[in-house]
Amino acid sequence: MYQRVVYVRENRFFHYGMPSRRRNYIIQRLDSFVSDGGAKYDVKLFTIEHVLPQNPEKGSEWDQLWPDQDERAFWLNRIANLVPLTRKHNSAAQNYDFATKKKSYFQNKGGITSYTLTTQVVNEDSWTPEVVSERQKTLLALFSEKWDLKIDPSEELNDDEEIMFHLAIRGCNASGCVGNDGSFIVKAGSTIARDTTPSCQSSYIEIRKNLIDNGIIVDGVFTQDYVFDSPSAAAVIVGGRSANGRREWTTLDGRQYGKVVGHKIERSSRNGTKSYFQSGGTGDKAA
């Protein structure tokens, strides 16, 4: 059994400015991890709010608990400082002190909350940088366990660092990165869709079969990193249907391959690294 562990920087994994649908999905999944399964997520009512307010008043309790402006800015949009709520709550309570905010903003009239993540915050006595820091570690550890992620808290992204893209269609769960001259590398441990659709070209179906026959894919899982001519070719093989890889491969924060890499012409590698299509069906490992 091959285990796929995705390495990702914390600020690439989640940030408040990502598309709301993806941001809400991540918070909902996190809440489902810590709940008993009883919560219901109504997209029409679901919203995400800050515990530490975005604009605390000068001289307020928040201003006293968080005197360092840089520290406040660092933690403001972290996942530990965010809670799921329903839109029925009064937005005027956003800047209340912590005790009042818990009672008036985070709880219903019966003194209960709709979501376990919010209940956890309600049970805290205070909301200080130390509390938020520990909560962040706990939540990221939970994601690491449930989603096979290795989250790096570093903020720096080196120029030569691999940007990971992900694809989850028709039951597949794959990761990959940019190769040389427009090629795309699907990482070991990625899983493929069980079958193909009528829209999948026969040539790709044959390639899929050969990858399985040659042991590149075993029980629906890539046993090694593998180079494809383009992200689209990789997406078709992985998803088992026609696909535009420049749109369908995305980073964890929702950015499409085509927008991250740029509108480059997808072409075969010219530096000696062979893909499946160039090797006549035998396939080579990614370097």
Side-chain angles (χ1 to χ4, degrees):
M1 183 68 180
Y2 296 88
Q3 183 179 19
R4 180 177 63 89
V5 179
V6 178
Y7 291 81
V8 60
R9 293 199 183 278
E10 178 186 323
N11 63 328
R12 295 280 178 177
F13 165 63
F14 180 92
H15 62 84
Y16 191 73
M18 67 170 53
S20 60
R21 179 177 296 181
R22 187 172 295 268
R23 181 184 66 208
N24 290 355
Y25 171 76
I26 291 177
I27 295 291
Q28 288 169 6
R29 286 305 307 271
L30 179 58
D31 187 73
S32 71
F33 292 156
V34 298
S35 71
D36 59 4
K40 295 182 179 180
Y41 306 105
D42 187 337
V43 295
K44 296 180 179 179
L45 296 176
F46 188 87
T47 186
I48 296 173
E49 297 294 344
H50 296 78
V51 182
L52 166 67
Q54 299 183 70
N55 299 296
E57 296 179 2
K58 189 173 182 180
S60 66
E61 179 190 64
W62 293 114
D63 196 36
Q64 295 172 25
L65 290 174
W66 297 76
D68 189 321
Q69 294 282 346
D70 291 337
E71 187 172 42
R72 188 187 300 174
F74 179 84
W75 288 110
L76 178 64
N77 292 323
R78 301 281 164 166
I79 203 165
N81 189 54
L82 302 173
V83 292
L85 296 174
T86 64
R87 298 180 190 275
K88 296 178 180 179
H89 287 80
N90 179 13
S91 60
Q94 290 178 352
N95 289 332
Y96 285 177
D97 63 74
F98 185 56
T100 305
K101 193 171 188 177
K102 288 195 298 180
K103 182 178 180 180
S104 303
Y105 195 36
F106 292 166
Q107 300 180 71
N108 297 324
K109 291 182 179 180
I112 59 175
T113 65
S114 301
Y115 308 109
T116 303
L117 285 177
T118 312
T119 300
Q120 292 176 344
V121 173
V122 169
N123 290 334
E124 294 288 347
D125 295 326
S126 62
W127 200 252
T128 63
E130 293 76 21
V131 171
V132 178
S133 177
E134 286 303 312
R135 178 172 170 79
Q136 184 79 0
K137 294 176 184 177
T138 299
L139 296 181
L140 292 182
L142 185 60
F143 270 123
S144 294
E145 174 190 352
K146 298 294 186 179
W147 275 356
D148 290 335
L149 299 176
K150 180 65 176 178
I151 300 177
D152 184 348
S154 172
E155 294 295 322
E156 295 299 324
L157 186 65
N158 299 324
D159 290 338
D160 58 352
E161 183 176 344
E162 286 185 348
I163 299 176
M164 296 302 299
F165 296 91
H166 309 277
L167 182 66
I169 56 175
R170 303 189 65 249
C172 75
N173 191 2
S175 299
C177 62
V178 180
N180 295 317
D181 283 336
S183 66
F184 189 85
I185 303 172
V186 173
K187 306 299 285 186
S190 295
T191 63
I192 65 171
R194 289 185 177 183
D195 54 18
T196 58
T197 69
S199 70
C200 189
Q201 296 178 353
S202 59
S203 58
Y204 287 110
I205 294 175
E206 183 64 22
I207 291 168
R208 231 173 176 251
K209 179 179 181 300
N210 288 336
L211 288 174
I212 294 171
D213 291 344
N214 291 325
I216 305 299
I217 299 174
V218 176
D219 294 330
V221 182
F222 276 83
T223 62
Q224 62 187 47
D225 291 359
Y226 195 82
V227 182
F228 289 93
D229 278 351
S230 70
S232 292
V236 174
I237 297 299
V238 169
R241 65 162 171 76
S242 60
N244 183 336
R246 300 181 66 86
R247 294 181 180 178
E248 301 205 42
W249 289 101
T250 64
T251 59
L252 279 174
D253 59 6
R255 293 171 297 149
Q256 295 177 346
Y257 175 96
K259 293 184 177 179
V260 174
V261 177
H263 298 287
K264 297 179 180 178
I265 298 176
E266 295 176 0
R267 56 191 182 278
S268 298
S269 173
R270 293 197 296 263
N271 69 347
T273 303
K274 292 183 179 180
S275 70
Y276 186 90
F277 303 95
Q278 297 166 293
S279 61
T282 57
D284 284 347
K285 285 186 179 180

